[in-house]
């Protein structure tokens, strides 16, 4: 049985895929880690790149064609169900197309794949703790301390027996939009709550981190920033099992108030200039601002009216 498969949902980004493979293909092969691209694109470019790497001897890189109408959560659904995998694996690591662990992070994760953890959480830059690894047995503690980090797909590695062994494809496709968009997040905490004394291993070490493609990212998500991080994220957290209830508002605030989302006055100014934050939008979410940001509500209101 092979230790680990990295599974990547993608859509028409051959430039990103090529850069990631150029950086990582050699050490992925060296460590006997397989990479699967779940592509819903319609150009054939990603498949051609995979074929090119296969011809170079990287037979650990695989291509899986996905229907073009599949949403983000649908691809994660496919990955969790083991669709297209050529072997049996101990662990599956879903990762965004722009991200790849550097070799040191990969080595740390593989060391933990030798154990029996139900899930492994890989912490990257900005989340370095004393010691290389430590374990949690409480899903509530994992949610409390790492709810923010686990919104990122690439943070969690899943035991294929205990976490995914009874997974049935189709759950995401039949879910509401907010659950589809946060499928990996909802699934993680729902599943952990159902396991008896789960082991959640955390790996963290200076020099071990996830690399990110230098190819500019698309900004389509930016237009939906309020819908996703106010409407959907609040809703998905309050739909998690009751064991997490004491920390739901804390996790929501800790996550959405980071600099990259809604944690900065400058972000609101940028969103106003881009036509995303308007007076109407401010009013729509007037009862939610204090749940997601420390920027004063009156300041957001002024910005939304052009009073900067």
């Amino acid at each position: 049985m092979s230790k680990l498969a990295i599974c990547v949902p993608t859509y028409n980004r051959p430039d990103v895929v090529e850069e990631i493979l150029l950086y990582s293909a050699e050490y992925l092969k060296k460590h006997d880690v397989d990479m699967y691209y779940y592509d819903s694109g319609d150009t054939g470019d990603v498949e051609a790149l995979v074929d090119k790497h296969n011809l170079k001897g990287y037979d650990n890189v695989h291509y899986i064609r996905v229907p073009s109408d599949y949403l983000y959560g649908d691809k994660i659904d496919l990955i969790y169900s083991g669709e297209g995998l050529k072997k049996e694996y101990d662990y599956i690591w879903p990762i965004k197309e722009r991200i790849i662990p550097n070799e040191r992070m990969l080595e740390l994760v593989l060391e933990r794949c030798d154990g029996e953890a139900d899930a492994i959480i890989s912490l990257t830059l900005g989340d370095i703790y004393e010691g290389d690894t430590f374990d949690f047995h409480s899903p509530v503690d994992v949610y409390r301390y790492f709810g923010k980090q686990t919104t990122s797909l690439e943070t969690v590695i899943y035991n294929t027996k205990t976490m995914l062994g009874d997974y049935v494809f189709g759950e995401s496709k039949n879910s509401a939009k907010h659950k589809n968009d946060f499928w990996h997040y909802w699934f993680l905490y729902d599943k952990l709550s159902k396991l008896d004394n789960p082991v959640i291993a955390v790996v963290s070490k200076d020099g071990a981190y996830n690399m990110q493609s230098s190819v500019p990212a698309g900004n389509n998500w930016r237009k939906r920033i309020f819908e996703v991080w106010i409407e959907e994220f609040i809703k998905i957290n309050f739909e998690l099992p009751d064991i997490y209830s004491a920390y739901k508002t804390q996790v929501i605030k800790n996550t959405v108030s980071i600099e990259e989302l809604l944690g900065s006055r400058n972000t609101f100014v940028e969103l106003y200039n881009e036509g995303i934050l308007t007076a109407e939008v401010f009013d729509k979410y007037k009862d939610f601002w204090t749940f997601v940001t420390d920027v004063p509500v009156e300041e957001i209101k002024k910005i939304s009216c052009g009073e900067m």
Side-chain angles (χ1 to χ4, degrees):
M1 190 156 181
S2 297
K3 282 187 187 178
L4 178 66
I6 292 176
C7 300
V8 185
T10 187
Y11 174 76
N12 281 351
R13 290 311 305 265
D15 48 354
V16 174
V17 172
E18 183 170 34
E19 184 179 42
I20 291 296
L21 286 176
L22 284 172
Y23 172 76
S24 64
E26 194 65 40
Y27 66 79
L28 291 174
K29 177 76 171 175
K30 168 184 167 184
H31 292 287
D32 196 27
V33 173
D34 290 345
M35 176 93 94
Y36 291 83
Y37 280 99
Y38 290 75
D39 178 32
S40 60
D42 53 8
T43 65
D45 293 339
V46 172
E47 184 174 17
L49 275 173
V50 170
D51 288 342
K52 183 171 77 172
H53 277 77
N54 291 162
L55 290 172
K56 290 180 179 179
Y58 300 110
D59 57 353
N60 58 319
V61 183
H62 307 280
Y63 179 87
I64 298 172
R65 184 176 298 281
V66 175
S68 59
D69 63 342
Y70 271 36
L71 302 174
Y72 168 80
D74 302 332
K75 294 177 188 175
I76 307 304
D77 201 359
L78 273 180
I79 289 169
Y80 287 168
S81 65
E83 176 69 24
L85 298 182
K86 306 293 184 184
K87 309 173 188 173
E88 292 187 354
Y89 296 93
D90 296 308
Y91 289 87
I92 287 178
W93 191 352
I95 292 181
K96 288 180 289 192
E97 63 189 9
R98 303 183 56 79
I99 303 295
I100 195 70
N102 72 352
E103 188 170 11
R104 188 66 192 107
M105 175 60 84
L106 182 68
E107 289 170 344
L108 277 181
V109 169
L110 287 171
E111 288 171 11
R112 290 317 308 255
C113 288
D114 285 333
E116 297 182 354
D118 298 292
I120 302 167
I121 296 177
S122 67
L123 298 180
T124 185
L125 295 175
D127 293 300
I128 305 302
Y129 294 81
E130 183 177 353
D132 298 350
T133 61
F134 47 100
D135 292 347
F136 283 85
H137 293 272
S138 166
V140 175
D141 285 343
V142 174
Y143 178 72
R144 177 185 179 188
Y145 293 115
F146 306 117
K148 175 177 67 176
Q149 292 90 336
T150 51
T151 59
S152 295
L153 180 65
E154 65 278 359
T155 307
V156 183
I157 301 98
Y158 300 84
N159 186 308
T160 56
K161 289 189 176 67
T162 61
M163 291 290 284
L164 302 176
D166 58 355
Y167 190 89
V168 178
F169 172 71
E171 295 184 39
S172 172
K173 202 163 185 62
N174 296 321
S175 68
K177 183 71 166 65
H178 70 282
K179 189 175 281 190
N180 189 291
D181 284 347
F182 284 98
W183 186 251
H184 68 281
Y185 183 82
W186 177 86
F187 172 77
L188 172 68
Y189 290 110
D190 183 68
K191 183 65 178 182
L192 287 177
S193 73
K194 296 172 180 175
L195 295 182
D196 182 28
N197 194 34
V199 178
I200 304 100
V202 179
V203 299
S204 170
K205 186 179 181 67
D206 193 18
Y209 50 88
N210 292 327
M211 300 292 294
Q212 181 164 308
S213 170
S214 64
V215 177
N219 282 324
N220 290 337
W221 69 269
R222 178 93 159 177
K223 298 173 183 176
R224 296 184 61 227
I225 188 169
F226 297 124
E227 177 189 350
V228 170
W229 292 105
I230 298 181
E231 294 180 38
E232 294 190 358
F233 191 63
I234 289 176
K235 193 169 186 178
I236 199 68
N237 276 279
F238 278 98
E239 288 183 2
L240 292 178
D242 289 342
I243 64 167
Y244 305 108
S245 291
Y247 300 103
K248 289 179 179 181
T249 56
Q250 173 188 316
V251 168
I252 291 166
K253 184 72 167 281
N254 288 349
T255 302
V256 188
S257 64
I258 64 173
E259 186 80 15
E260 299 92 321
L261 294 178
L262 300 179
S264 164
R265 181 187 186 279
N266 288 339
T267 298
F268 285 99
V269 171
E270 291 170 1
L271 291 168
Y272 171 81
N273 290 333
E274 294 166 23
I276 299 170
L277 174 63
T278 64
E280 292 75 19
V281 168
F282 172 81
D283 285 339
K284 180 179 181 180
Y285 298 114
K286 63 183 179 181
D287 296 328
F288 295 95
W289 296 116
T290 57
F291 284 96
V292 297
T293 183
D294 289 319
V295 178
V297 175
E298 282 303 309
E299 189 72 13
I300 301 171
K301 183 176 182 179
K302 289 179 180 178
I303 294 169
S304 73
C305 294
E307 301 172 13
M308 296 175 287

